[in-house]
Amino acid sequence: MLKKAFLTNSSGILCSRIFGFLRDLSMANILGAGIYSDIFFVAFKFPNLFRRVFGEGAFTQSFLPNLIASSKKGAFSVLVLVIFSSILLFLSLFVVCFSSGVTRILALGFDSSLIEIASPIVAIHFWYLLLVFWVTFFSALLQYKQHFWVSAYNTALLNIAMIVALFLAQGKDELEIVYFVSFGVILGGVAQVGLHFYPLWKLGFCKVFVCGVLEIKKAFLGGALSASAGKGSLEVAKNEANKASKASKAKSLATKIKSELKAFFSQFLPAMLGSSTAQIASFIDTILASFLASGSISYLYYANRIFQLPLAIFAIAISTALFPMVAKSIKANQQDKALQSLKKSFWFLCFALIACAIGGIMLGKQIIWLLYEHGKFARADTLECALVFAGYMVGLVPFGLARIFSLYLYATMRQALAAKISAISLAVGVVFSLIFMQFWGAFGLALAGSLSGFVLFWLTIKAFGFAKFWGIIADSKLGVLLVVFVSVEVGILWLWLAFVEIP
């Protein structure tokens, strides 16, 4: 089951990232790395952060355990949907009304003229937040039923919509292109939501939602109706005992639903922070990069996009498949089964992520040249972006491995501890970013983020337990095989670089 779910998730993510790279290629070719691309990436940064934080685990890691434990799954699901949708709708309306102030926060280094240009674009992008939540919520429900392909493939629709928008915008001025792509983001989000409807209906979630609405009506309206009905005619008085019983049951149901919601929300915010260190660090980097030379934001974006590819295909894909299994094993008091699944995932990720990290660092210039050096993206941009990419790749292994061990904390309802660990690693990263950017610019920001990844990994393993961790890594055969594998890879790449140069 784990292998099948992983292959489904990784293939879907790979498909999405291929379209994502085609999108970035088109963006680099049409806008290059300049002020208008910086404006778009600033506007897209927070919605994209929100998509990664929600879509890549934060919501699911708190929602799924509570959904599994809930005795009123319908009411619980409907209320979570309504509460989050209401908050995000209000937030989007707030940003529309105060877009200039929000834009100043997102791009502290922009002057007044750039803020004026970027503000309406930022307002457009914030509507994507509501769509992202709906996508994540529906995907979490499908994952509860071990249904993964929709959540794996839906992101490709966003990238396809943006590619189509770029194609339609060819020949227009740069600001118009930014508007076209921004509306493409919204249309892509609508398509992502629509993809979930048929699987949800097929798996019976429509009935779950209807039952949930009826449970909510019974819990929060039934008691009130019964109580008011008890004051009236003599005929009503005869049924007073029956109505009082119904009111008591409604009150009990309402108390149960409220307690389940309280448990979820007490874990959600810690889970959101705990699973999003890399994304939040990247978001802060964008703000800090607005103080650096023009193009720095774009270098960070393009480099981070490639860094996210192996992280998504391997670490995120396997953690998405692993989490429901670990959570259910923990709930069933089958800890050995959960640890065995973690062990398999750990060694697989070690081989995959170390290979990607070494390849990315040694072949950074070639990768950036191949993907982005077209049109307005010049050789100087390639060299700067490759350096930033190397800084990010240093942290690939710790970020990826920390992700699967943090699942154990979420499954055992220790979201607050995971949040504390993430907050510490994030603070360390910000301090290093403020120092390193003074000397190495955008590369310093990327390297500081990677150092925070090592802090995150160490603290996560400490919380997981060194004894359990040693039981996972204590495999001499796989350890020797890993050393041989890395040595062969380094040797091959060194020989290849000795004879091949960028044209």
Side-chain angles (χ1 to χ4, degrees):
M1 179 62 74
L2 177 60
K3 185 182 294 185
K4 180 181 178 181
F6 164 71
L7 290 175
T8 300
N9 284 315
S10 61
S11 62
I13 291 172
L14 178 60
C15 176
S16 173
R17 295 308 167 105
I18 289 173
F19 281 109
F21 281 128
L22 290 175
R23 179 197 76 194
D24 290 343
L25 286 173
S26 301
M27 186 78 73
N29 188 48
I30 294 174
L31 285 177
I35 193 60
Y36 286 100
S37 63
D38 283 358
I39 287 173
F40 173 80
F41 293 137
V42 163
F44 189 50
K45 193 66 181 181
F46 189 80
N48 200 38
L49 168 69
F50 190 83
R51 177 183 64 83
R52 288 178 178 174
V53 169
F54 264 63
E56 295 176 0
F59 177 80
T60 304
Q61 286 164 0
S62 55
F63 178 73
L64 264 185
N66 283 279
L67 180 65
I68 292 170
S70 174
S71 61
K72 301 296 178 183
K73 292 179 172 55
F76 175 74
S77 301
V78 170
L79 285 173
V80 169
L81 175 63
V82 171
I83 291 170
F84 272 91
S85 297
S86 301
I87 293 172
L88 292 172
L89 180 60
F90 173 80
L91 177 61
S92 299
L93 291 172
F94 176 84
V95 173
V96 169
C97 296
F98 302 99
S99 58
S100 295
V102 174
T103 305
R104 289 184 186 278
I105 296 173
L106 295 177
L108 294 174
F110 278 12
D111 58 29
S112 298
S113 61
L114 290 179
I115 294 293
E116 185 178 353
I117 295 172
S119 294
I121 299 170
V122 169
I124 294 170
H125 280 251
F126 260 79
W127 289 107
Y128 183 62
L129 268 64
L130 181 59
L131 298 171
V132 167
F133 168 68
W134 288 344
V135 168
T136 306
F137 175 79
F138 294 145
S139 293
L141 292 177
L142 294 178
Q143 289 174 30
Y144 171 71
K145 292 287 190 177
Q146 302 293 319
H147 187 98
F148 293 100
W149 76 264
V150 176
S151 58
Y153 283 90
N154 77 82
T155 310
L157 297 176
L158 171 65
N159 295 322
I160 292 171
M162 294 175 71
I163 291 170
V164 172
L166 283 166
F167 176 78
L168 295 175
Q170 286 187 98
K172 300 184 181 298
D173 66 55
E174 291 174 314
L175 185 56
E176 282 186 291
I177 293 171
V178 172
Y179 272 100
F180 264 76
V181 182
S182 298
F183 283 113
V185 170
I186 303 302
L187 292 176
V190 172
Q192 287 179 273
V193 174
L195 185 63
H196 289 76
F197 289 159
Y198 177 72
L200 287 169
W201 173 79
K202 187 177 181 181
L203 292 173
F205 280 105
C206 292
K207 294 180 180 178
V208 173
F209 293 146
V210 171
C211 290
V213 171
L214 294 176
E215 287 173 343
I216 294 169
K217 181 179 178 181
K218 179 180 178 181
F220 298 102
L221 297 178
L225 291 173
S226 296
S228 63
K231 301 175 183 179
S233 65
L234 293 173
E235 294 180 4
V236 174
K238 294 178 181 179
N239 297 319
E240 196 170 293
N242 184 40
K243 294 183 184 296
S245 176
K246 289 182 178 180
S248 177
K249 290 180 180 179
K251 184 177 180 180
S252 176
L253 179 59
T255 301
K256 181 66 176 177
I257 294 172
K258 287 178 181 178
S259 66
E260 291 177 354
L261 283 174
K262 184 178 179 180
F264 164 69
F265 280 105
S266 67
Q267 296 165 11
F268 169 69
L269 289 177
M272 184 173 69
L273 178 59
S275 66
S276 57
T277 305
Q279 289 80 10
I280 295 175
S282 177
F283 180 70
I284 294 174
D285 286 348
T286 298
I287 296 176
L288 295 177
S290 66
F291 292 97
L292 300 175
S294 176
S296 296
I297 294 175
S298 299
Y299 298 144
L300 287 166
Y301 173 81
Y302 289 129
N304 189 261
R305 283 288 296 170
I306 311 174
F307 162 76
Q308 290 290 335
L309 178 62
L311 188 68
I313 289 179
F314 298 113
I316 293 174
I318 203 164
S319 63
T320 301
L322 185 64
F323 183 62
M325 301 176 190
V326 171
K328 290 179 180 179
S329 296
I330 295 295
K331 189 175 186 298
N333 294 319
Q334 297 176 332
Q335 189 176 88
D336 290 341
K337 184 178 179 181
L339 293 176
Q340 187 62 29
S341 297
L342 284 172
K343 182 176 182 178
K344 292 178 181 178
S345 301
F346 169 80
W347 281 107
F348 171 76
L349 285 182
C350 271
F351 279 88
L353 295 180
I354 290 175
C356 292
I358 293 173
I361 293 171
M362 295 184 70
L363 301 176
K365 293 179 182 178
Q366 287 78 4
I367 292 171
I368 300 298
W369 165 77
L370 178 65
L371 292 176
Y372 295 129
E373 194 176 309
H374 308 284
K376 294 185 178 182
F377 200 95
R379 176 57 55 87
D381 297 322
T382 295
L383 298 178
E384 289 291 335
C385 194
L387 192 60
V388 174
F389 176 55
Y392 276 129
M393 293 303 286
V394 170
L396 178 64
V397 176
F399 272 123
L401 293 179
R403 190 174 187 91
I404 62 168
F405 287 105
S406 66
L407 295 180
Y408 191 86
L409 301 182
Y410 297 127
T412 53
M413 301 295 186
R414 288 187 283 172
Q415 281 84 351
L417 178 58
K420 181 180 179 180
I421 291 170
S422 291
I424 294 172
S425 65
L426 185 62
V428 170
V430 171
V431 171
F432 278 117
S433 291
L434 292 171
I435 297 172
F436 289 174
M437 69 182 287
Q438 307 297 326
F439 303 98
W440 301 313
F443 166 70
L445 294 175
L447 184 61
S450 292
L451 291 179
S452 74
F454 284 96
V455 175
L456 176 68
F457 177 68
W458 172 258
L459 294 177
T460 301
I461 295 303
K462 183 179 179 181
F464 174 75
F466 289 115
K468 290 196 290 285
F469 180 65
W470 177 252
I472 287 175
I473 67 172
D475 192 320
S476 57
K477 291 182 179 179
L478 288 174
V480 171
L481 183 60
L482 180 62
V483 172
V484 173
F485 175 76
V486 169
S487 301
V488 171
E489 181 188 11
V490 171
I492 292 173
L493 293 179
W494 182 81
L495 288 173
W496 190 80
L497 288 172
F499 296 100
V500 177
E501 296 182 359
I502 298 176

